[in-house]
Amino acid sequence: MSELTLQYFCSRGHIDRRDAAEVSWSHAVNSRSSLMEALTGPTHMMEADIIMRGHDPKEPIMAHPPETDSDITLKEWLQGVKEHDKGIKLDFKSLEAVPPSVAVLQEVLPEPSCPVWVNADVLPGPRGQATPLEPQAFLAAVGTLPSHTVLSLGWTVGWTACTDNPGYSWNNVHEMEELCRTLKNPVTFPVRAALLAQSLSQLKWLLQQSDRYTLTVWTCQKDELTLQDLLPYRKEFDISRIYYDLPDFIRTEIIKTLQDKN
């Protein structure tokens, strides 16, 4: 279950092997121009944010708060995507947008062949300030999507420069595993790169609980991280089970570490 996304890109010759580090990402594909750029560019996965339009007609649109409008709706976005072989990751910041977005997704892509990921922060994590989406409500809303839809379920987290930042705790991973244990879908856990060095044991345990589970490593522009923080994960985990949604210069260095080892 954990390798369906890789299988898709391998079968089309877009990546050479089942190495999740080879999958590249476009971010904030929330406008017509950014969608065209992503569709014609080299990246494999396109990440976009969904909110409800702030005025009538109320419908799912592609935008990130605090924006309230966009030049493209979710329906138009999906219609643009479906003739291409990109994967998509739809990021939800509120429960309000989820049920109508699921309905649009089922209308436009009733039997998607491309990878479809749906993302939300559903549990509080280390120093998380934002309020997570209520997990059971989110899972119920996306529960009618095909079983191969990847559920990207994360924690709200914080990070502060020049301080000791706590990593993902045992309570964090136990709570997440309990939430995901009975799900049928593949699940990826978005984890902040700056917190990985202090979270190895916990995240290793989490992946050991099911072959449906993967990690997706992400970062913010202000975060401090080094390749050394990521190498233990590259060495100790199956390379098919950790995606690196990171700047390309870091991601290519991660790929090289295995090549150099061989």
Side-chain angles (χ1 to χ4, degrees):
M1 270 307 246
S2 64
E3 296 185 4
L4 288 178
T5 297
L6 296 184
Q7 180 179 328
Y8 176 85
F9 292 122
C10 280
S11 68
R12 284 156 178 78
H14 296 327
I15 61 175
D16 297 328
R17 58 184 175 175
R18 293 178 180 274
D19 182 355
E22 292 197 6
V23 175
S24 57
W25 301 77
S26 295
H27 300 104
V29 185
N30 296 334
S31 65
R32 293 181 184 274
S33 60
S34 60
L35 176 60
M36 183 59 63
E37 182 180 351
L39 288 174
T40 57
T43 53
H44 305 107
M45 293 287 295
M46 303 188 307
E47 178 271 335
D49 304 288
I50 304 176
I51 62 171
M52 293 299 288
R53 178 179 276 131
H55 56 80
D56 290 335
K58 291 275 191 177
E59 59 184 327
I61 61 171
M62 314 312 292
H64 190 287
E67 300 294 330
T68 60
D69 207 349
S70 174
D71 68 352
I72 188 167
T73 66
L74 172 62
K75 186 172 183 177
E76 293 167 335
W77 194 91
L78 291 172
Q79 288 170 335
V81 166
K82 69 178 182 178
E83 302 302 328
H84 295 76
D85 57 359
K86 305 283 188 178
I88 61 175
K89 178 181 178 182
L90 303 175
D91 191 0
F92 292 95
K93 303 299 186 188
S94 73
L95 277 175
E96 178 191 18
V98 182
S101 298
V102 168
V104 172
L105 191 56
Q106 292 173 319
E107 175 190 349
V108 180
L109 295 176
E111 296 180 4
S113 61
C114 68
V116 176
W117 295 22
V118 291
N119 178 79
D121 290 336
V122 295
L123 291 176
R127 290 190 175 172
Q129 299 296 317
T131 302
L133 273 60
E134 203 288 313
Q136 296 301 338
F138 178 76
L139 292 174
V142 300
T144 57
L145 292 172
S147 62
H148 55 77
T149 304
V150 176
L151 305 181
S152 176
L153 304 177
W155 300 264
T156 59
V157 295
W159 182 86
T160 305
C162 304
T163 64
D164 290 330
N165 290 278
Y168 296 93
S169 68
W170 284 109
N171 183 63
N172 292 153
V173 296
H174 288 156
E175 188 177 15
M176 183 65 83
E177 202 282 323
E178 184 176 352
L179 177 67
C180 299
R181 187 178 303 158
T182 60
L183 298 175
K184 304 303 182 186
N185 301 65
V187 180
T188 193
F189 304 108
V191 290
R192 195 165 184 166
L195 304 180
L196 290 190
Q198 54 270 55
S199 309
L200 181 62
S201 296
Q202 292 85 345
L203 296 177
K204 185 174 183 179
W205 175 87
L206 182 58
L207 284 199
Q208 289 172 340
Q209 304 313 301
S210 174
D211 63 2
R212 294 182 296 108
Y213 298 166
T214 60
L215 301 179
T216 301
V217 179
W218 61 275
T219 191
C220 284
Q221 190 172 8
K222 65 181 181 179
D223 288 4
E224 297 170 3
L225 70 149
T226 69
L227 189 62
Q228 295 303 314
D229 294 335
L230 305 176
L231 288 183
Y233 288 82
R234 187 65 170 168
K235 293 176 179 177
E236 294 198 32
F237 292 72
D238 188 308
I239 62 173
S240 70
R241 300 187 68 188
I242 306 187
Y243 293 87
Y244 295 89
D245 184 1
L246 299 173
D248 277 346
F249 74 92
I250 299 178
R251 192 176 55 79
T252 53
E253 284 298 313
I254 292 169
I255 294 171
K256 280 179 59 180
T257 60
L258 193 66
Q259 294 170 341
D260 294 343
K261 183 179 177 181
N262 292 341

